Amino acid sequence: MPELSLRAVTDDDDFQSFMATMYSVFLQDPQPDEIELGRKFTELDRMFGFHDGTRWAATAGAYSKKVSLPGGALVPVAAVTGVTVSPSHRRKGLLTAMMRHQLDDIRSRGTEALAMLFASETLIYGRFGYGLASSNAVLSGRVRDLGFRTDVDLGAGTVTEADRETLLGAAPAIYDRALANLPGRMDRPAPWWDYWLHDTAERRKGAGSIRFALHHEPDGSASAYAIYRPKSDWAPAGPNGELHVQEVRATNPRAYARIWRYLLDIDLIRTMQYDGAAVDERLRYLVADQRALQCQVNDAIFTRLVDVPRALTLRRYAGDVDVVLQVSDEFCPWNTGRFRLRAGRDGAECENTDAPADIAITARDLGAIYLGGVSLQALTTAGLAGELTSGAVPATATAFGWPVAPSMPDHF
Ligand SMILES: CC(C)(COP(=O)(O)OP(=O)(O)OC[C@H]1O[C@@H](n2cnc3c(N)ncnc32)[C@H](O)[C@@H]1OP(=O)(O)O)[C@@H](O)C(=O)NCCC(=O)NCCS
């Protein structure tokens, strides 16, 4: 076999062949329009892999993104993407070498204290210190069974269909405003919006083309949007349409309720599915029959603290805490050590210490609890974290928890 060299993508032709390998290993045909859109937010020097002189044998990369943390800070994150090893080269350690290279690179860049990714298979990334930190929910049901609680205030706004341009005139500001209260979500600059709204047969999954709705307040300001695809269907007994909802965002509860009411009332629709929901999605509490709205929970973002003390100072905490964490990190040994975290709702300090540790935890499990959606108490009860000082875990678990469940529907 030709010798492999680890290198970054050099130019656009090289990027095309890099992407061709990536699509191929993901068992897809390359999508030229998607690649072109993705190129707009791709930094070539962050895309790298093993090349045999003729073709790419393995690929990996990262986008420079920002993620919303508990407490509302929007901080830089390496959004890891495009990780593939060709079938001819699998299980020879290429992924391990790429993870090594990438985490060293993120550390030396110094901008990002965090890396995040979606895993194609959940067994892959724990060994590299990534912990499963958030879940997405798929909500589905028969719209006529759902109903709405009668005490829901729908406000006095109006919902209308919008074209893409009108949506793009209003939705980014609504999204950005909502972001601070949505831990685990990433920023969506204009090229990412284009990618998010890109409408291909593959993305439609048998439904119709993408549609948009906008909610306006009585004063004319836009305060909610919905992105969805209807699927026409006729059963022998009559209409049997499906509604595939991609995203609903609102700046206030009435607008959120009103736009959902609009979606669920569309004539000829009988069933709905919302793939981009959070586990604590408000719709679950607005419907009259909660059982009729089924909720399937799927794993979402894996989080890796590349710089443990810095990462711990970036987020806010649900309660005051003063705790010494004994962190073990085999893959990034610079994180192994004892760190004293003094933190609360208003800020956090974290520094190396020689003081005795209260809690022992791996970097992977620290990544899992980082967004506030996984309980340190549960991990301790499961034997994955250790309570070294009696009573340290409940208080620390409360501080690390967060009232809003993290989630992230935008795949990258
Ligand atoms: C997942 C993938 C990148 C692994 O690449 P690889 O070069 O074969 O991985 P490595 O040889 O470095 O394996 C490192 C370790 O991870 C394990 N591992 C790798 N892929 C795994 C998987 N899918 N499931 C479980 N374990 C896996 C290996 O067995 C090995 O374990 P060991 O250290 O105990 O021996 C490759 O199989 C692939 O491209 N799969 C298809 C695309 C994909 O799913 N990419 C991930 C996108 S998030």
Side-chain angles (χ1 to χ4, degrees), residues 195-237:
Y195 196 75
W196 181 238
L197 301 184
H198 191 50
D199 195 26
T200 58
E202 192 157 346
R203 290 185 181 198
R204 284 180 206 150
K205 293 185 183 134
S209 54
I210 199 163
R211 296 192 190 189
F212 314 109
L214 266 181
H215 175 274
H216 289 94
E217 299 293 324
D219 70 6
S221 59
S223 53
Y225 66 86
I227 303 170
Y228 62 98
R229 292 179 176 86
K231 183 178 180 189
S232 166
D233 189 27
W234 295 87

Side-chain angles (χ1 to χ4, degrees), residues 74-297:
L74 199 59
V75 307
V77 60
V80 173
T81 186
V83 176
T84 67
V85 172
S86 293
S88 51
H89 292 76
R90 68 191 286 280
R91 306 302 182 265
K92 297 181 199 305
L94 297 193
L95 168 68
T96 308
M98 292 194 296
M99 290 288 109
R100 171 81 281 132
H101 176 80
Q102 186 175 58
L103 287 165
D104 288 344
D105 178 58
I106 294 168
R107 184 182 184 220
S108 68
R109 283 169 186 259
T111 324
E112 296 140 347
L114 303 164
M116 292 184 176
L117 54 78
F118 287 100
S120 60
E121 301 193 78
T122 45
L123 290 176
I124 301 173
Y125 292 101
R127 74 193 72 234
F128 306 120
Y130 284 86
L132 179 52
S134 78
S135 304
N136 287 339
V138 178
L139 303 182
S140 60
R142 297 192 62 79
V143 293
R144 291 188 174 179
D145 293 343
L146 299 177
F148 248 43
R149 278 176 54 154
T150 50
D151 53 348
V152 174
D153 180 1
L154 296 174
T158 48
V159 181
T160 47
E161 281 196 52
D163 59 20
R164 182 192 154 97
E165 202 184 341
T166 311
L167 180 97
L168 282 174
I174 294 169
Y175 181 85
D176 290 349
R177 225 176 115 183
L179 198 57
N181 293 317
L182 298 172
R185 304 284 161 109
M186 292 186 186
D187 64 334
R188 207 186 278 161
W192 283 94
W193 269 101
D194 289 339
Y195 196 75
W196 181 238
L197 301 184
H198 191 50
D199 195 26
T200 58
E202 192 157 346
R203 290 185 181 198
R204 284 180 206 150
K205 293 185 183 134
S209 54
I210 199 163
R211 296 192 190 189
F212 314 109
L214 266 181
H215 175 274
H216 289 94
E217 299 293 324
D219 70 6
S221 59
S223 53
Y225 66 86
I227 303 170
Y228 62 98
R229 292 179 176 86
K231 183 178 180 189
S232 166
D233 189 27
W234 295 87
N240 195 30
E242 294 173 22
L243 187 74
H244 297 205
V245 181
Q246 180 170 323
E247 182 170 50
V248 172
R249 293 273 159 252
T251 58
N252 68 68
R254 292 167 309 285
Y256 178 87
R258 169 78 66 182
I259 203 160
W260 264 113
R261 200 52 277 172
Y262 169 90
L263 292 173
L264 300 178
D265 283 343
I266 294 175
D267 287 325
L268 311 182
I269 293 290
R270 290 295 178 269
T271 57
M272 62 77 74
Q273 177 164 321
Y274 181 22
D275 287 343
V279 172
D280 60 357
E281 186 70 36
R282 287 174 273 170
L283 182 65
R284 297 185 70 190
Y285 312 110
L286 292 176
V287 294
D289 186 345
Q290 288 188 302
R291 192 187 293 158
L293 186 63
Q294 286 143 32
C295 177
Q296 185 198 318
V297 176

